[in-house]
Amino acid sequence: MHPPKRQLGAVSALLALVLVVSGCGGSSSAGDGSGGGDGKKSGATAIADRVEPLPGPAPEPELPVTVESADGREVTVRSAERIIPLTGSLSELVHSLGLGERVVARDVTATFEEAEKLPVVTRAHDVSAESVLSLKPTLVLAESTTGPSEAIGQIRDAGVPLLVIPPALALSDVAERIDAVAGALGVPEAGRKLKERTEKRISAARKAIPDAKKPKVAFLYLRGAASVYLLGGAKSGASSLIEAAGGVDAGKESGLKKDFTAITSEALAKAAPDVILVMSKGLDSVDGVEGLLKIPGIAETPAGLDRRIASVDDGVLLNYGPRTDKVIRSLVEQFHGGGQ
């Protein structure tokens, strides 16, 4: 959705802002998974910006339930009639469980088709407590990066159950997030079915990886208008996806132990990626592949020399949710030139 706030000084403060905006990957109005631009070996596989609810009738929540919030509180949920998920990733989970009709609002990162007509309860990418409370929610779902804290406190002070879910940073978080959301909504059986379906699809997607040398992939976070150019490290949230798609995280392998570092020619030379992975909105923000290659150091990497640029839509890349198999399939195709 979404990624946690970073601890990298002034650069991190700006990154935290843009990553909260993107909600585990950012928002995108395009929603088509494209953005490979004009690179001869780039061009993302389109991922339909819609979710797939479980088949059959919507599950009926069995409430009340008391669950543990990631911020150490116990939260009792007595009604799931009016749900407000405050990240696109959490909204995707609720809709996939078959409870989308109960969602009454969204934040700016819920870009998929089923959510697009819902009222937005964020201002300048921060939660508006007044907007949330005006919709009379019976449950609010948030992540530990959701803010500002004053707004979260105001919602809780109004007596609304607010559950904080840990952010996702790896493939192993998918099942835990499904369990957490399904448990809070009182639909554990639907959660079990969604988890089973998601795990099977991810497993099938990973079987498409060809038996070939693993390319080194550098994940870059770009926001051209804000002059944010960052290279992902071990804690960027992308490592698990890169590895699941048969690649090697170039930033992590080069010794970057944190989340992100400012792009430098030296850092890129050390990472020496064969493929550069970006979010489609980030690629657009630097005017496509041609603009990306103008960032110092990128054109000299193996990926830059060969114009191997992979991109996936912001609204789905780092969600680690029910569409993760589609992300992996897209990355396999882009990393390996069509896989099998």
Side-chain angles (χ1 to χ4, degrees):
M1 200 83 245
H2 109 320
K5 294 181 180 177
R6 311 301 179 188
Q7 304 297 323
L8 296 174
V11 171
S12 189
L14 182 55
L15 175 64
L17 172 62
V18 290
L19 286 184
V20 169
V21 170
S22 64
C24 288
S27 63
S28 170
S29 59
D32 60 359
S34 64
D38 51 2
K40 66 182 180 182
K41 292 191 179 182
S42 63
T45 303
I47 297 176
D49 206 4
R50 58 177 294 111
V51 300
E52 182 186 350
L54 289 169
E60 188 62 37
E62 298 180 4
L63 300 171
V65 296
T66 298
V67 291
E68 184 85 14
S69 181
D71 56 1
R73 301 168 183 258
E74 282 194 345
V75 177
T76 298
V77 182
R78 293 183 172 83
S79 171
E81 289 301 314
R82 299 180 64 81
I83 307 166
I84 298 183
L86 292 178
T87 72
S89 177
L90 293 174
S91 189
E92 179 180 334
L93 280 173
V94 176
H95 279 79
S96 297
L97 287 165
L99 297 178
E101 293 297 320
R102 296 169 181 256
V103 177
V104 297
R106 66 180 177 95
D107 82 318
V108 294
T109 69
T111 61
F112 54 88
E113 182 178 316
E114 293 87 343
E116 63 184 3
K117 294 183 179 179
L118 293 170
V120 177
V121 291
T122 49
R123 295 176 183 169
H125 311 297
D126 283 339
V127 175
S128 166
E130 293 81 5
S131 297
V132 170
L133 294 174
S134 71
L135 293 166
K136 301 183 179 349
T138 58
L139 175 63
V140 173
L141 299 172
E143 294 188 9
S144 57
T145 53
T146 305
S149 58
E150 293 81 7
I152 299 302
Q154 190 175 341
I155 294 169
R156 278 197 166 125
D157 290 344
V160 178
L162 188 150
L163 179 68
V164 178
I165 307 291
L169 289 175
L171 212 59
S172 57
D173 295 326
V174 175
E176 292 181 7
R177 285 169 67 81
I178 293 173
D179 283 341
V181 173
L185 297 175
V187 290
E189 179 60 17
R192 184 192 65 76
K193 292 178 181 178
L194 180 60
K195 184 167 62 173
E196 183 178 273
R197 185 182 80 178
T198 302
E199 289 174 341
K200 284 183 177 179
R201 290 180 175 182
I202 289 174
S203 178
R206 298 185 70 174
K207 290 179 181 178
I209 300 171
D211 186 13
K213 181 181 177 182
K214 295 183 177 181
K216 292 170 64 177
V217 182
F219 174 49
L220 305 187
Y221 188 89
L222 311 171
R223 284 298 181 262
S227 297
V228 175
Y229 309 111
L230 302 169
L231 170 61
K235 297 182 180 179
S236 72
S239 292
S240 185
L241 282 174
I242 290 171
E243 292 162 4
V248 175
D249 186 335
K252 177 181 175 181
E253 188 180 65
S254 71
L256 299 179
K257 300 184 184 304
K258 296 184 179 180
D259 38 27
F260 289 89
T261 187
I263 289 176
T264 64
S265 296
E266 294 76 15
L268 287 168
K270 188 174 183 180
D274 302 305
V275 181
I276 287 172
L277 171 63
V278 293
M279 296 179 183
S280 57
K281 192 173 182 180
L283 188 59
D284 290 343
S285 78
V286 296
D287 297 325
V289 172
E290 294 302 328
L292 175 66
L293 294 175
K294 292 177 183 177
I295 297 173
I298 289 182
E300 290 72 39
T301 65
L305 290 169
D306 206 24
R307 300 172 68 91
R308 292 185 66 186
I309 314 300
S311 70
V312 174
D313 184 73
D314 301 47
V316 67
L317 178 60
L318 297 179
N319 269 8
Y320 287 109
R323 290 187 288 174
T324 298
D325 65 295
K326 293 180 173 60
V327 175
I328 293 174
R329 288 184 186 279
S330 176
L331 294 181
V332 169
E333 180 176 343
Q334 295 182 80
F335 291 175
H336 305 279
Q340 298 178 335

